[in-house]
């Protein structure tokens, strides 16, 4: 069977192949999840750092409006991403890879497709974005506007995330520009695409996870699917038009000495409509040491310093769970 789901014919996607049916306990099991109300909404034109700290410390993540990224650019980016998934199977297959070292790759389910018992109902297209001029030559030329539009979007996304990081830094009394440079040197665009699924109660669109990154921003489309594990249960997140979700990642948890946490989230599928979301991630360079900032850990750092490379390679030994992985870097006797 063709691996990329966006290459399946509509007829193929009418039936749920056995290896996409998750066992009871691991599948959503129902569709009527409660809606997560009261997600903090930050108006970036007026935002104070304390508001963002409160949102992260009390809720774990937030949405941003008046973020300064033109809606027309958001819409165009969504369009070229959707169009890319609609290009021919032959064209997309040229980008297919499960090798992390490939800096522009499409794959399906997870990077472990060949080893996993059940496949997630998604294709993903991920590529590096920073600096744009170093990577743009690897990006698709079909659709023809992809490079131009995504180039602009990558720059705007980076600017936006730095405004958020600066406000967070200010709230903790960190020196301006604390997150610049090696701590945020890698920028990825990660596009999830889910074709309509015959039975969303049996499938999972993206596994439950915390984001390993420094920080993530998500642009949703109008088709819901994102869920957060909040107050002991899974809850639906209703996409808010023209807003971005911001999710602190595990590196920010380490830097804030555990004052922030990174929320558990997953994606469920939709029976009628295809769903596309665009994630922008900032990630430390592989060899830079990440450690609690002195201002966040005056008396006692909870975590020892580690490189992102170490963090990444410790994942497999730590139950493939980023929280357990970070635990393994805790200072002993703390
Ligand atoms: C992610 C993620 C959610 C979504 O890419 O890390 O959680 O709605 N995406 O696609
Ligand atoms: Ni995520």
């Amino acid at each position: 069977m063709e691996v990329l789901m966006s290459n399946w014919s509509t007829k193929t996607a009418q039936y749920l192949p056995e290896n996409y049916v998750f066992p009871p306990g691991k599948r959503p099991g129902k569709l009527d999840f409660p809606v997560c109300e009261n997600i903090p909404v930050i108006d970036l034109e007026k935002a104070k750092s304390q508001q963002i700290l409160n949102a992260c410390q009390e809720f774990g993540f937030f949405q941003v409006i008046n973020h300064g990224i033109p809606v027309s650019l958001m819409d165009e980016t969504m369009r070229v991403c959707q169009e890319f998934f609609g290009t021919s199977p032959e064209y997309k297959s040229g980008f297919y890879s499960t090798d992390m070292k490939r800096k522009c790759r499409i794959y399906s389910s997870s990077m472990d497709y060949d080893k996993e018992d059940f496949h997630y109902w998604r294709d993903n297209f991920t590529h590096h974005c920073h600096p744009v001029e170093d990577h743009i030559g690897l990006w698709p030329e079909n659709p023809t506007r992809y490079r131009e539009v995504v180039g602009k979007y990558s720059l705007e996304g980076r600017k936006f995330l730095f405004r958020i990081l600066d406000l967070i830094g200010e709230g903790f009394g960190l020196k301006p520009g604390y997150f610049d440079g090696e701590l945020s040197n890698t920028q990825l665009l990660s596009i999830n695409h889910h074709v309509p699924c015959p039975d969303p109660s049996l499938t999972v669109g993206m596994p439950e996870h915390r984001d390993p990154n420094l920080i993530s921003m998500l642009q949703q489309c109008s088709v819901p699917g994102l869920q957060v594990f909040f107050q002991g249960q899974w809850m639906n997140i209703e996409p808010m038009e023209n807003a971005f979700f911001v999710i602190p990642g595990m590196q920010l948890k380490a830097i804030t000495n555990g004052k922030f946490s990174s929320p558990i989230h997953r994606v469920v599928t939709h029976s009628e409509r295809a769903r596309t979301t665009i994630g922008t991630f900032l990630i430390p360079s592989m060899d830079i040491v990440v450690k609690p900032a002195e201002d966040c850990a005056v008396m006692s750092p909870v975590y020892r310093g580690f490189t992102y490379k170490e963090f990444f390679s410790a994942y497999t030994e730590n139950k493939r769970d980023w929280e357990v992985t970070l635990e393994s870097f805790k200072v002993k006797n703390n």
Side-chain angles (χ1 to χ4, degrees):
M1 185 169 205
E2 162 70 48
V3 171
L4 292 177
M5 307 183 76
S6 56
N7 287 350
W8 293 2
S9 67
T10 353
K11 209 162 142 225
T12 310
Q14 263 172 10
Y15 304 96
L16 198 53
E18 238 168 69
N19 48 1
Y20 286 83
V21 178
F22 277 73
K26 294 197 167 158
R27 58 173 78 148
K30 58 174 185 175
L31 302 175
D32 55 340
F33 289 90
V35 172
C36 187
E37 311 273 4
N38 310 324
I39 300 172
V41 178
I42 303 285
D43 177 344
L44 201 53
E45 276 173 12
K46 311 188 200 132
K48 298 266 185 308
S49 55
Q50 199 54 45
Q51 267 177 294
I52 297 187
L53 293 205
N54 289 349
C56 292
Q57 284 169 305
E58 285 159 25
F59 213 84
F61 63 101
F62 55 91
Q63 311 185 71
V64 184
I65 55 167
N66 290 330
H67 40 66
I69 303 185
V71 171
S72 55
L73 181 60
M74 293 173 74
D75 291 346
E76 269 191 291
T77 307
M78 184 56 80
R79 204 169 317 124
V80 292
C81 291
Q82 287 167 338
E83 279 172 15
F84 172 71
F85 279 99
T87 59
S88 72
E90 296 71 33
Y91 185 66
K92 269 177 287 175
S93 298
F95 293 90
Y96 184 80
S97 177
T98 52
D99 179 355
M100 286 280 292
K101 289 192 221 68
R102 264 290 284 272
K103 289 191 167 177
C104 181
R105 58 177 186 268
I106 193 170
Y107 61 94
S108 197
S109 182
S110 83
M111 297 292 274
D112 284 325
Y113 188 92
D114 295 330
K115 292 190 218 120
E116 64 199 10
D117 294 329
F118 305 98
H119 300 313
Y120 298 97
W121 193 270
R122 72 149 177 174
D123 286 346
N124 178 276
F125 181 53
T126 291
H127 61 66
H128 286 241
C129 300
H130 177 72
V132 167
E133 57 277 18
D134 285 5
H135 301 287
I136 196 166
L138 299 172
W139 303 353
E141 285 181 291
N142 182 9
T144 45
R145 304 232 313 131
Y146 187 95
R147 291 182 177 184
E148 178 198 338
V149 173
V150 173
K152 276 193 206 146
Y153 186 84
S154 303
L155 295 174
E156 290 287 336
R158 190 169 183 84
K159 221 164 58 186
F160 166 78
L161 284 172
F162 275 114
R163 279 175 71 194
I164 302 286
L165 287 170
D166 282 345
L167 285 165
I168 292 173
E170 189 190 310
F172 283 117
L174 306 182
K175 64 176 192 301
Y178 184 89
F179 296 101
D180 292 1
E182 301 287 341
L183 276 180
S184 53
N185 219 12
T186 304
Q187 180 179 341
L188 299 183
L189 193 82
S190 168
I191 310 157
N192 277 334
H193 182 77
H194 314 265
V195 299
C197 172
D199 190 345
S201 73
L202 303 178
T203 51
V204 180
M206 192 179 183
E208 67 174 78
H209 67 284
R210 300 175 201 261
D211 289 358
N213 317 321
L214 178 67
I215 193 164
S216 314
M217 67 190 265
L218 281 180
Q219 179 181 338
Q220 304 271 299
C221 66
S222 59
V223 184
L226 181 60
Q227 294 192 325
V228 63
F229 195 71
F230 192 64
Q231 293 174 335
Q233 60 178 330
W234 285 106
M235 291 189 167
N236 283 336
I237 290 191
E238 286 186 336
M240 183 174 182
E241 224 181 330
N242 305 333
F244 285 102
F245 271 98
V246 174
I247 303 181
M250 295 307 290
Q251 307 307 306
L252 208 46
K253 177 168 183 172
I255 292 167
T256 61
N257 206 32
K259 291 188 172 68
F260 279 12
S261 58
S262 181
I264 303 177
H265 52 288
R266 71 175 183 188
V267 174
V268 295
T269 58
H270 196 276
S271 60
E272 272 144 39
R273 296 172 62 196
R275 174 179 185 273
T276 309
T277 61
I278 309 170
T280 299
F281 308 148
L282 294 185
I283 300 171
S285 306
M286 282 292 171
D287 295 312
I288 189 80
V289 175
V290 176
K291 59 178 191 325
E294 275 166 27
D295 295 284
C296 295
V298 180
M299 302 306 273
S300 49
V302 173
Y303 307 104
R304 72 167 175 85
F306 54 85
T307 63
Y308 196 70
K309 196 198 270 167
E310 271 182 90
F311 185 78
F312 221 80
S313 57
Y315 181 60
T316 328
E317 298 137 42
N318 285 287
K319 304 188 182 162
R320 299 185 158 268
D321 179 326
W322 295 119
E323 184 76 6
V324 181
T325 305
L326 186 59
E327 290 276 311
S328 73
F329 292 104
K330 270 195 162 164
V331 175
K332 303 277 182 291
N333 309 320
N334 202 293

